[in-house]
Amino acid sequence: MDKFSPKTIEALGYYVYIYSDPVTKVPFYVGKGKGNRAFAHLHDGSESDKAHKIAEIQARGRQPLIEILAFGLDEKAAYKVEAAAIDLLGLKNLTNKQAGHESSLYGRIEVSELDARFDHGELTESDFLEDAVLVKVNQLYRNGMSDFELYEVTRGFWRVDKSKIEGIHLALAVYDGMVLEAYEIAAWLPAGSGMCAARSVSQAESAHRMEFVGRVADQCIRDRYVGKGVSGLYAPGAQIPSAM
């Protein structure tokens, strides 16, 4: 089978589908779409891991097992289901190149972290007993990050005014308006000065960007800021890092 009937397409709307090995039944790809999108990968001639896996199955005289995980969805709901499925199966176990759309918002998340995201106290400028820099990690954060991974995406590399951050020894990792972690800054350095597992920076970029090195702040400082909201302290779309 390589296409749906018109009646089926009408009934499906947006849907989320899974490709699995037909023998082991182990999933290797999750996608979302409408119409006959679920079959499009069968003729993928690219060099992607997904295409290689499909070709390997076809070389055995078989076809991938294609299953519909959920249907009758609008596009936004399909994105959410896709993100949750990829998080549940684990990106490292799939041939998907990246996590689902906004998976850090809608993917797998520990219950206390989810509750804190929707029910947290808001900090005001008067709550800051130390000078601090807010580091917005929305584009790099994902649910389930290790402590080290969060530190790496928080510490660099940022376009900042060196004169404004000199003397600041506290950095707060901010995701979706909430403080995830607090770091005591030992030093600010030109970007690329140290090893960074999260990203690399070109020599040209390093002249205009900074990174910091440090450690997780003492518990008394973490208690003051972590899990609290700071969205009222910067304008929507504001460039982060920003100094408090």
Side-chain angles (χ1 to χ4, degrees), residues 104 109 112-114 116-117 120 123 134-147 149-151 153-154 171-183 216-217 222-223 225-230:
S104 55
I109 183 172
S112 62
E113 184 178 341
L114 179 65
R117 183 181 295 175
H120 53 251
L123 295 171
L134 307 181
V135 182
K136 196 174 183 181
V137 296
N138 285 9
Q139 299 301 314
L140 299 169
Y141 177 74
R142 70 178 189 280
N143 294 326
M145 265 187 158
S146 69
D147 293 343
E149 288 172 323
L150 179 58
Y151 168 68
V153 301
T154 304
L172 304 181
V174 177
Y175 174 73
D176 196 28
M178 187 180 77
V179 178
L180 299 180
E181 190 54 272
Y183 302 100
V216 174
R222 296 184 72 250
D223 289 344
Y225 301 112
V226 175
K228 306 293 179 58
V230 292

Side-chain angles (χ1 to χ4, degrees), residues 14-222:
Y14 278 94
Y15 56 85
V16 175
Y17 57 93
I18 295 176
Y19 271 54
S20 301
D21 186 292
V23 176
T24 66
K25 304 298 192 292
V26 174
F28 64 87
Y29 184 79
V30 177
K32 79 110 180 96
K34 62 180 180 178
N36 285 311
R37 175 60 181 169
F39 304 102
H41 310 291
L42 295 175
H43 310 290
D44 184 351
S46 72
E47 294 297 317
S48 68
D49 291 341
K50 173 195 63 185
H52 281 298
K53 179 65 176 178
I54 292 172
E56 182 266 319
I57 292 171
Q58 292 172 335
R60 290 189 258 136
R62 305 291 294 268
Q63 289 292 344
L65 174 64
I66 305 174
E67 299 172 288
I68 303 300
L69 180 63
F71 65 91
L73 310 171
D74 59 31
E75 188 173 23
K76 187 173 182 179
Y79 274 128
K80 291 181 179 181
V81 174
E82 179 193 41
I86 291 174
D87 269 10
L88 181 62
L89 294 170
L91 189 61
K92 66 181 180 181
N93 300 315
L94 300 169
T95 58
N96 293 70
K97 291 184 177 180
Q98 59 188 15
H101 179 71
E102 294 189 330
S103 63
S104 55
L105 277 177
Y106 303 120
R108 189 176 186 176
I109 183 172
E110 197 271 329
V111 290
S112 62
E113 184 178 341
L114 179 65
D115 186 62
R117 183 181 295 175
F118 294 106
D119 185 21
H120 53 251
E122 288 287 328
L123 295 171
T124 65
E125 290 188 24
S126 62
D127 293 316
F128 282 78
L129 303 185
E130 302 86 7
D131 291 333
V133 60
L134 307 181
V135 182
K136 196 174 183 181
V137 296
N138 285 9
Q139 299 301 314
L140 299 169
Y141 177 74
R142 70 178 189 280
N143 294 326
M145 265 187 158
S146 69
D147 293 343
F148 177 72
E149 288 172 323
L150 179 58
Y151 168 68
E152 286 287 271
V153 301
T154 304
R155 72 181 193 85
F157 307 114
W158 307 109
R159 288 185 177 273
V160 290
D161 185 336
K162 187 176 180 180
S163 65
K164 291 184 178 179
I165 59 173
E166 287 180 334
I168 294 181
H169 300 292
L170 181 66
L172 304 181
V174 177
Y175 174 73
D176 196 28
M178 187 180 77
V179 178
L180 299 180
E181 190 54 272
Y183 302 100
E184 293 184 20
I185 300 170
W188 283 97
L189 304 170
S193 296
M195 295 292 291
C196 184
R199 296 176 272 179
S200 60
V201 63
S202 69
Q203 188 172 0
E205 287 181 304
S206 66
H208 306 286
R209 294 177 181 268
M210 302 287 289
E211 65 179 82
F212 71 82
V213 291
R215 65 177 181 86
V216 174
D218 292 339
Q219 191 60 46
C220 60
I221 294 176
R222 296 184 72 250

